[in-house]
Amino acid sequence: MIICKSAAEIEKLRRSGQLVRELLEEVSGRVKPGCSTLELETYVEKRVRQLGVKPAFKGYRGYPRCLCASVNEEIVHGIPSGRVLKEGDIVSLDLGVIVDGFYGDSALTVPVGAISPSLQRLLRVTEESLQMGIEQVRLGRRLGDISAAIQRHAEQAGYSVVREFVGHGIGRDLHEEPQVPNFGKAGHGPVLKEGMVLAIEPMINTGGPGVRVLEDRWTAVTADGGYSSHFEHMVAVTRNGPDVLTDWSPPKGGSL
Ligand code: MF3
Ligand code: CO
């Protein structure tokens, strides 16, 4: 069953969504050559504690950290470790929090120092694919319209779309119905209704779509060693079109 949220519930989701985005901006600013992914985790954990909110991923199905940090060929669920970032790498940062019982979940991929033009293009196309998906979040459209828009943009650019991991509904649970695949057919799937809140999260590879999970049982990498990029926003269906709950603007005189 797809849960439709009230206006008040959407405002609660916006609070957690904006907070998660603010933390992602902060931690992105600390991504530098020579910094380890564990240092990013330590920073996020400290901030989450300071703000008095709960990390959503730590303990979820046994996941050991607050943050997912996935480097280069890692797609998602990279466990922060001593791995040191180097100039020219890309790192996908995925974070979830719970504020007042409501989940926030967002991700982005950032360059480490200067990156190659081809990696810049991968990041740009992945973010554009997410935007194309968001554009479809309108009353009366179908879930497949979102999936197809994302897939078309990524594949037209010569990339491939990961099948094993998908977006999801979000609310009082991290993963609610429906699943939101990043591939599919326009005009298919459930009709979008007012109050649905979707976490849309394309994972786009430079090579093939295949996935392998490492020995740690979490880190998902590309089967062929190609690079992968990941962006995620939470979007509510409203009569006025898509409402991005994880939209972030710099704090106007004062922090959270
Ligand atoms: N954004 C991802 C998701 O929605 C992150 C989950 S990490 C986990 O599945 F540790 F919580 F699994
Ligand atoms: Co998610």
Side-chain angles (χ1 to χ4, degrees), residues 52-71:
V53 299
K54 282 194 209 148
F57 299 167
K58 196 170 187 164
Y60 180 85
R61 296 176 178 236
Y63 186 75
R65 304 287 187 192
C66 299
L67 183 71
C68 298
S70 309
V71 184

Side-chain angles (χ1 to χ4, degrees), residues 65-116:
R65 304 287 187 192
C66 299
L67 183 71
C68 298
S70 309
V71 184
N72 294 344
E73 77 289 351
E74 297 174 352
I75 302 167
V76 284
H77 304 164
I79 303 174
S81 70
R83 180 167 180 170
V84 171
L85 300 172
K86 56 182 201 308
E87 182 106 19
D89 285 346
I90 55 173
V91 59
S92 302
L93 303 171
D94 190 352
L95 181 64
V97 296
I98 312 167
V99 184
D100 210 4
F102 287 84
Y103 280 80
D105 182 15
S106 188
L108 83 177
T109 303
V110 295
V112 182
I115 60 170
S116 67

Side-chain angles (χ1 to χ4, degrees), residues 57 94 105-106 166-168 170 174-175 199 201 230 232:
F57 299 167
D94 190 352
D105 182 15
S106 188
V166 295
H168 49 96
I170 186 166
L174 176 59
H175 296 140
E201 48 180 320
H230 178 210
E232 175 176 21

Side-chain angles (χ1 to χ4, degrees), residues 10 48 225 233:
I10 287 176
V48 162
H233 273 305

